[in-house]
Amino acid sequence: MAVQEEFVSPAQSARVQGTTMQGTTVGATNVFLQPVAPPSILGMFAFAGATFMVAAWLAGWYGSAVSPFYFAPFVAVLGGIVQLFCCVWAFRARDGMATAIHGTWGAFYLGYGLLYAIFTLQPRMIPMGGVFPELGFWFIVLAAISWVLTLAAMGHSLALTAVVMSVSGGATFAAIGLLAGVFWCSALGGYLFILASLCALYDGAAQVLKEIYGHEVLKIGYSPRVLAEPGVMVGAGEPGVIHGQR
């Protein structure tokens, strides 16, 4: 569980250690911590839901060229607005990885919903596997960012790595499909996105069960580096700080 510290001055910080800035021993200052629930619990569920709806359509599981007009508003709210809220709270939890994932994909899904809202004014239906270079280049951006985050996720946990790696592959093939109009690339991207949504569902479920029961019910696969971090790290000027969402 992440915590937020009360602001203290450097002199107060020194008193936590039992001395003033001049070295005189004094009584310790009480520090009150504000618990912050792990933002990625909701963030992963929001990502999983929005990604599954788009991915199943890309894979050809349901719908037609007009389907995005129906699911885009839900994608914008769940995948966009909700993830952006999680991104803001991930800042407070000092989790740069979650901030980058939910911020990047939350902004994209919000834009995706707005795009189809604009299309209602000047309809443009994009067939599954059709050429759409304007959106294809955005998937290039998403793929580049997500592959970088995959390298970072490898230092965190197996569950998070599975989410980011599969969504990176999905964005890569979606970009090729939208730029070249190759249906099988779009479909393969859709299947990788479905895998990403299932991995995100697992990660979110593992985190919420750990939050409730106090131990891992579903294995997350934390890296040795993460497991070696102390639960609460005291630093100059910010006592009682925990990094991330463990």
Side-chain angles (χ1 to χ4, degrees):
M1 176 181 292
V3 293
Q4 176 190 356
E5 82 284 4
E6 180 189 60
F7 175 78
V8 293
S9 66
Q12 290 174 312
S13 176
R15 291 192 188 97
V16 174
Q17 305 300 327
T19 62
T20 64
M21 299 297 286
Q22 289 75 29
T24 305
T25 301
V26 296
T29 298
N30 291 327
V31 177
F32 300 94
L33 304 179
Q34 177 187 356
V36 177
S40 281
I41 292 176
L42 178 58
M44 284 297 174
F45 287 151
F47 175 83
T51 301
F52 180 81
M53 291 306 299
V54 176
W57 177 73
L58 284 174
W61 283 12
Y62 75 94
S64 64
V66 300
S67 293
F69 289 98
Y70 296 97
F71 64 68
F74 301 97
V75 169
V77 174
L78 182 62
I81 296 174
V82 172
Q83 276 204 93
L84 289 176
F85 274 118
C86 295
C87 166
V88 172
W89 281 101
F91 270 113
R92 303 196 70 166
R94 287 172 168 78
D95 192 331
M97 184 73 189
T99 298
I101 293 173
H102 300 311
T104 300
W105 282 93
F108 172 75
Y109 279 132
L110 181 58
Y112 188 88
L114 292 174
L115 177 66
Y116 278 93
I118 294 171
F119 283 173
T120 61
L121 303 176
Q122 186 177 357
R124 177 183 177 184
M125 292 178 289
I126 309 302
M128 293 175 287
V131 177
F132 193 176
E134 296 85 354
L135 187 58
F137 272 92
W138 273 111
F139 273 107
I140 292 177
V141 173
L142 289 169
I145 294 172
S146 297
W147 281 118
V148 172
L149 293 177
T150 299
L151 295 177
M154 290 177 180
H156 184 271
S157 66
L158 293 176
L160 186 59
T161 301
V163 174
V164 188
M165 182 177 291
S166 51
V167 82
S168 300
T172 301
F173 282 100
I176 297 172
L178 289 167
L179 291 171
V182 181
F183 177 77
W184 72 265
C185 283
S186 295
L188 179 56
Y191 278 103
L192 288 171
F193 282 140
I194 290 171
L195 176 60
S197 70
L198 295 176
C199 291
L201 179 64
Y202 177 91
D203 193 17
Q207 290 189 60
V208 74
L209 291 173
K210 183 175 183 289
E211 178 80 1
I212 295 299
Y213 292 103
H215 62 87
E216 285 189 0
V217 177
L218 298 175
K219 290 297 182 181
I220 298 175
Y222 289 117
S223 70
R225 182 195 63 80
V226 172
L227 292 174
E229 288 182 350
V232 175
M233 294 175 287
V234 179
E238 44 180 14
V241 175
I242 186 171
H243 175 269
Q245 303 178 55
R246 268 196 315 122

